[in-house]
Amino acid sequence: ESLTRLKKLGRETGWCEKALATLAPIATSEFPTQARRPANSLLSGDKLARTFGVIMPNWREQLRLALEEYLFA
């Protein structure tokens, strides 16, 4: 029942769009871990597109769709 209420609340308030609007990039130094990380680890899909003709979808849109599918399916 609580999941049903959460789903209804999400539809009524548009929480998914609000959550996505608050996402912001951070520097590697702001997220310390034991693993060494490159200074700029931005993933480019250019080689994938050139080699296989696969265009990666926008990550924000895919996150929104995944959240909606998980919560509202």
Side-chain angles (χ1 to χ4, degrees):
E1 184 175 323
S2 61
L3 182 57
T4 302
R5 279 186 273 140
L6 178 62
K7 289 179 180 180
K8 184 178 179 194
L9 176 66
R11 283 193 200 103
E12 291 172 355
T13 62
W15 69 270
C16 187
E17 283 74 20
K18 290 177 187 174
L20 287 172
T22 64
L23 294 177
I26 64 169
T28 301
S29 61
E30 295 178 75
F31 192 75
T33 65
Q34 290 182 345
R36 292 173 54 129
R37 303 280 185 225
N40 182 0
S41 60
L42 180 66
L43 180 62
S44 170
D46 293 345
K47 187 173 182 179
L48 184 65
R50 280 194 316 272
T51 306
F52 300 104
V54 175
I55 306 298
M56 295 296 294
N58 177 277
W59 70 269
R60 286 181 186 259
E61 178 62 16
Q62 291 303 307
L63 176 59
R64 186 187 66 74
L65 292 172
L67 289 170
E68 285 182 354
E69 182 178 325
Y70 176 75
L71 291 174
F72 306 121

